[in-house]
Amino acid sequence: MIRILAVGKLKDARLAELAADFTRRIRPWSDLEIVELKDQGPEREAAAMLARLGPPSGHGLTVALDERGTTTTSHELSALLGAHGSLTFLIGGPDGLGPAARARADRVLSLSPLTFTHETARFLLLEQIYRGLAILRGHPYHRD
């Protein structure tokens, strides 16, 4: 099961369409849940995320997306997807991810040294999840 806790809705219709396309592609290969949380500032957003995560034990791996996180390759993300039965990704809002959410995460990853809007980050994460699952299945979407 892959879960994405993301602040805000995808307001840009073009990004929403791309995200929906990758969501459709992912679902035959993995259960996927996307939870949109209200945009209310990093501290409150982090509290809402923590409430959704529940206690640390038995929650699977929690990965926070943050520009200060470590970068990873598509193959490394694929290995992460293959190694854990349950993953939850945290995406903050326009003001970033609250410190409490980063602290609660098992890993903090950066999609790039560049800064993206939270909407773009969600689309990029979905594309990379699909790419990672394609790598695991030997699907030709990812070419080495």
Side-chain angles (χ1 to χ4, degrees):
M1 165 64 132
I2 299 170
R3 185 167 54 155
I4 298 173
L5 301 182
V7 173
K9 296 186 180 296
L10 291 176
K11 295 175 186 167
D12 183 315
R14 296 163 300 177
L15 285 177
E17 185 178 326
L18 290 168
D21 179 49
F22 280 104
T23 298
R24 282 189 297 273
R25 292 182 192 202
I26 291 166
R27 286 208 164 118
W29 290 343
S30 177
D31 290 331
L32 175 67
E33 177 186 20
I34 300 173
V35 178
E36 293 179 335
L37 303 169
K38 186 177 177 182
D39 178 356
Q40 52 188 344
E43 289 76 25
R44 284 185 166 172
E45 293 160 2
M49 286 180 178
L50 295 178
R52 293 282 185 148
L53 284 172
S57 61
H59 71 280
L61 188 75
T62 300
V63 179
L65 297 183
D66 187 273
E67 63 187 1
R68 294 163 282 201
T70 58
T71 57
T72 188
T73 68
S74 295
H75 281 282
E76 290 167 341
L77 181 61
S78 176
L80 193 66
L81 291 167
H84 297 279
S86 177
L87 279 100
T88 300
F89 291 93
L90 309 177
I91 302 175
D95 298 317
L97 194 59
R102 274 194 313 278
R104 170 67 162 71
D106 300 303
R107 303 218 15 211
V108 181
L109 297 180
S110 170
L111 291 173
S112 166
L114 301 171
T115 302
F116 300 113
T117 66
H118 62 291
E119 291 181 274
T120 302
R122 188 183 328 179
F123 156 69
L124 289 173
L125 175 62
L126 286 166
E127 191 279 337
Q128 285 298 301
I129 289 170
Y130 178 72
R131 182 176 298 276
L133 294 172
I135 290 168
L136 289 173
R137 284 160 180 76
H139 188 276
Y141 180 79
H142 179 81
R143 292 170 179 81
D144 286 318

